[in-house]
Amino acid sequence: MTAAWNRFPFVFSDSGTYIDVAITHFWPGDRSALYSLFIYPLHLKLTLWPVVLVQAAMTWYLVRVFFRTFAHAFREEQVVLSVLVLGLCSSAPWFVGQIMPDVFAALLILAIATAVIGQDRLARFDRVAIPLLIAFFITTHLSYLIIASGTLALCLLIRLLSGRPTPPLARVFTKVNISMVAAIALGVLTMLSFNIITKRGATLASTGNVMLLGKLIDQGIALDYMTEACPSRAWPICATLPELKQIKARAVAQGKPIGAVSDTFLWGGPLVQLGGMTVVSKYASEITNGAMRAYPSQFLQEALRGFLAQTVTFQVGDDMIRYNPDTSIHQIIARHFDADTYAAFQSSRQYQQQLHVDRFRIADNVLLGLSALVVAGYLLLHWRSNVPLAQFTLVVLGGMVLNTMVTGALSAVHDRYGSRVSWLVPLIALFIISEYIRNKTGTVRVVETGKPRDAMSPARSV
């Protein structure tokens, strides 16, 4: 919806890499190339709109399964109206309509929580489709493996502690739960196999250690460690140590956010001067391992500081800027697509700087604030009315915390990392409100889905 108003799919600086990789077969070591392979048969260098449509279809499907699974009496109107509100006032459409795998962060949490907590009401198709989607989501971004594993662990813990009459092991070792573990394993196996085939080695990211090095430079502990170790080591990066310290000092003096130094190191020039990621990766692990061993408490403190900073950093549209002709995304669209597509990109509101993101931020913040109140009130006062929904909500909130931990503690702090999952709170709130309205109006239209409601924990309407 928002992308249609923009007149072109939203793009980010990394969008160019994801478009280019599958076309040129230049496989990056710092990120998964599988999202690029996913979008290539959709756009075929003709138009990027099919990518948005497929991402929207995945979102619609999982939102619908969520409503169908936890509603006392499912109605299609619930989904339609809720998606309409999310499309107008939340962060969801900004990621659904963007050529980036960030959209899958929220869908990954939603899929696991729905499948495991609501497994007794899953349709047969869902029991196959959702694990396959989860496996795919994991392959598109390196952080998703941690988020998926942590979210699943939280689901299993909640099922284990639930007051069901079935034995504890029977609550954990179900077909659906096993399929979730298999999905995660399939995602990992796919990434490893792809990297082996493309001669990147048996690793999830051949230059992921360089990304971690950038983070530790940002924290300062890598700088301290290299100051001590460089006199006895022959690391090429030692020659740039004075420059890196100056970058760090300027960032602190100017009050720049967490991650500014790592972004400068990785994308601003120093890394290029050292020969690029592949060259630096040969000795990056030695530095990162040594720094974390030498300064464990400082590493944990800085990781906590990043986590806390990311917790309050979630404004929508921070990356919706104009990408000028000297940027890679601009050049890649011009190189691989025809004149009409290139002209559409240039006429987009994003390129013309006519998005007025500040207005959407107001709507998103208002909806998010009201939704947080609704969800908090439900968990505190009415959780017994639908126990599975309460369990689902706790898992989703836990998944969002995991997303914040992974990004804030191990990467830079950016609004897009928070806003990519923040729309899950309004989604739950809209479900709670729709169930309340259905209960008050007495409107009932049951849709047959998997097992009946009685198969789940006792639940009444909200």
Side-chain angles (χ1 to χ4, degrees):
M1 186 181 298
T2 311
W5 177 74
N6 182 51
R7 301 190 291 259
F8 194 83
F10 295 119
V11 295
F12 180 57
S13 58
D14 290 348
S15 300
T17 301
Y18 287 117
I19 293 171
D20 191 61
V21 163
I23 298 173
T24 63
H25 296 176
F26 176 76
W27 312 116
D30 62 316
R31 70 195 68 194
S32 172
L34 292 165
Y35 180 74
S36 180
L37 295 177
F38 160 70
I39 67 174
Y40 177 71
L42 297 177
H43 67 71
L44 292 174
K45 299 194 291 185
L46 298 174
T47 173
L48 290 167
W49 282 113
V51 179
V52 174
L53 293 177
V54 171
Q55 291 179 170
M58 291 178 179
T59 304
W60 173 272
Y61 166 69
L62 288 172
V63 168
R64 187 177 182 276
V65 172
F66 158 61
F67 272 84
R68 195 183 66 204
T69 300
F70 294 97
H72 181 77
F74 174 70
R75 294 177 296 161
E76 292 288 352
E77 300 93 311
Q78 288 179 296
V79 183
V80 173
L81 292 175
S82 297
V83 168
L84 182 62
V85 173
L86 292 173
L88 291 173
C89 303
S90 79
S91 63
W94 297 89
F95 293 96
V96 172
Q98 189 177 45
I99 310 302
M100 285 287 291
D102 283 336
V103 61
F104 301 137
L107 297 186
L108 179 63
I109 297 170
L110 178 61
I112 294 175
T114 300
V116 177
I117 301 300
Q119 60 185 264
D120 297 321
R121 296 196 77 208
L122 288 181
R124 184 175 300 175
F125 175 81
D126 304 327
R127 292 171 181 265
V128 177
I130 292 179
L132 291 177
L133 284 175
I134 290 170
F136 164 67
F137 295 156
I138 290 171
T139 67
T140 63
H141 199 281
L142 300 176
S143 67
Y144 294 168
L145 173 59
I146 302 175
I147 295 173
S149 301
T151 303
L152 177 58
L154 183 57
C155 285
L156 297 179
L157 177 62
I158 287 178
R159 282 185 62 86
L160 187 64
L161 297 178
S162 65
R164 298 187 176 200
T166 54
L169 291 180
R171 301 174 208 161
V172 175
F173 292 99
T174 66
K175 290 182 180 180
V176 171
N177 294 346
I178 293 172
S179 73
M180 294 294 106
V181 176
I184 294 175
L186 178 60
V188 173
L189 181 61
T190 302
M191 288 190 286
L192 289 174
S193 300
F194 181 80
N195 285 331
I196 292 173
I197 292 171
T198 56
K199 303 186 186 306
R200 293 284 178 179
T203 178
L204 298 180
S206 60
T207 59
N209 56 354
V210 181
M211 304 295 289
L212 179 58
L213 176 60
K215 178 64 177 181
L216 299 186
I217 289 174
D218 188 272
Q219 292 180 345
I221 66 173
L223 298 177
D224 294 339
Y225 177 71
M226 285 190 289
T227 299
E228 298 174 358
C230 276
S232 60
R233 305 296 173 90
W235 300 323
I237 196 174
C238 292
T240 66
L241 187 56
E243 179 186 358
L244 294 176
K245 288 182 176 181
Q246 290 177 1
I247 293 172
K248 173 67 173 177
R250 284 197 300 268
V252 172
Q254 296 171 6
K256 290 186 176 181
I258 296 172
V261 176
S262 62
D263 285 346
T264 301
F265 169 71
L266 294 170
W267 322 116
L271 185 60
V272 175
Q273 297 170 13
L274 292 167
M277 286 197 175
T278 302
V279 174
V280 177
S281 67
K282 296 176 181 178
Y283 56 86
S285 294
E286 191 176 353
I287 299 175
T288 56
N289 293 338
M292 288 188 287
R293 283 197 300 265
Y295 305 100
S297 61
Q298 187 176 343
F299 170 73
L300 292 176
Q301 290 173 6
E302 291 296 324
L304 177 61
R305 190 167 73 93
F307 165 69
L308 294 176
Q310 184 64 71
T311 301
V312 295
T313 307
F314 50 81
Q315 294 299 310
V316 69
D318 71 309
D319 52 352
M320 298 298 169
I321 62 175
R322 172 191 174 110
Y323 293 98
N324 293 316
D326 60 339
T327 59
S328 63
I329 176 61
H330 192 117
Q331 295 168 2
I332 287 169
I333 292 177
R335 182 187 315 132
H336 294 309
F337 292 85
D338 59 25
D340 290 340
T341 301
Y342 180 59
F345 165 66
Q346 290 184 305
S347 66
S348 67
R349 295 182 187 275
Q350 181 181 0
Y351 188 81
Q352 298 294 330
Q353 296 181 300
Q354 297 174 351
L355 282 178
H356 304 297
V357 176
D358 54 331
R359 301 175 186 176
F360 288 96
R361 284 177 179 169
I362 294 174
D364 178 55
N365 288 336
V366 170
L367 177 64
L368 191 56
L370 293 175
S371 298
L373 292 176
V374 170
V375 172
Y378 166 75
L379 289 176
L380 290 173
L381 303 175
H382 299 288
W383 65 271
R384 290 184 180 86
S385 64
N386 190 332
V387 174
L389 177 63
Q391 295 172 337
F392 169 88
T393 302
L394 292 176
V395 170
V396 168
L397 294 177
M400 293 175 65
V401 171
L402 280 169
N403 174 77
T404 303
M405 290 176 61
V406 170
T407 55
L410 300 177
S411 183
V413 174
H414 292 294
D415 281 292
R416 64 189 178 93
Y417 291 149
S419 59
R420 71 184 184 181
V421 298
S422 64
W423 63 270
L424 292 173
V425 175
L427 172 66
I428 296 172
L430 289 167
F431 177 86
I432 293 171
I433 293 171
S434 68
E435 283 289 276
Y436 176 81
I437 294 174
R438 183 210 55 77
N439 185 46
K440 289 297 183 182
T441 59
T443 304
V444 176
R445 181 153 60 91
V446 177
V447 176
E448 188 67 26
T449 59
K451 296 183 180 180
R453 165 62 69 182
D454 291 342
M456 300 180 69
S457 299
R460 304 183 301 276
S461 58
V462 177

